[in-house]
Amino acid sequence: LIVGSKAWPVIYTLVLMTVGLWLFTSGLEGYLIRVGILRPWERVPIIIGGFMLAFPEWITTAIGFGICAVSITIALVRKRKLKQPPTLA
């Protein structure tokens, strides 16, 4: 991977693998930084997406990124809805 390669592809791959493994382990743990505790149905796509993000292939990486982005967005929306004060209706 490193021998005979330019610096940018190696750095890019290492960063994506690190982020993918972080998301994978966060899904296994059930806690994501800035999101908080994940529900079981939120954990599964983050585990799968993080695993796919760790592969150094652009198709798998793109699919994993998409899965994680959607899952984290849903979790953030859920968190934001829980923090809103009740309205007087």
Side-chain angles (χ1 to χ4, degrees), residues 12 16 49 52-53 55 57-69:
Y12 174 77
L16 283 178
M52 292 177 76
L53 195 62
F55 281 99
E57 178 190 31
W58 74 271
I59 295 173
T60 312
T61 301
I63 294 170
F65 180 78
I67 291 171
C68 287

Side-chain angles (χ1 to χ4, degrees), residues 14-87:
L14 289 175
V15 168
L16 283 178
M17 290 177 69
T18 303
V19 170
L21 290 175
W22 170 67
L23 288 168
F24 179 75
T25 55
S26 293
L28 290 176
E29 183 68 29
Y31 184 84
L32 191 62
I33 295 173
R34 303 227 184 233
V35 175
I37 297 173
L38 298 171
R39 294 184 177 169
W41 57 271
E42 294 169 338
R43 292 172 65 178
V44 173
I46 291 177
I47 292 170
I48 293 169
F51 186 71
M52 292 177 76
L53 195 62
F55 281 99
E57 178 190 31
W58 74 271
I59 295 173
T60 312
T61 301
I63 294 170
F65 180 78
I67 291 171
C68 287
V70 169
S71 300
I72 292 171
T73 302
I74 291 171
L76 285 171
V77 168
R78 177 188 55 87
K79 179 184 174 186
R80 187 169 292 153
K81 282 184 179 180
L82 290 176
K83 283 192 171 183
Q84 288 181 349
T87 58

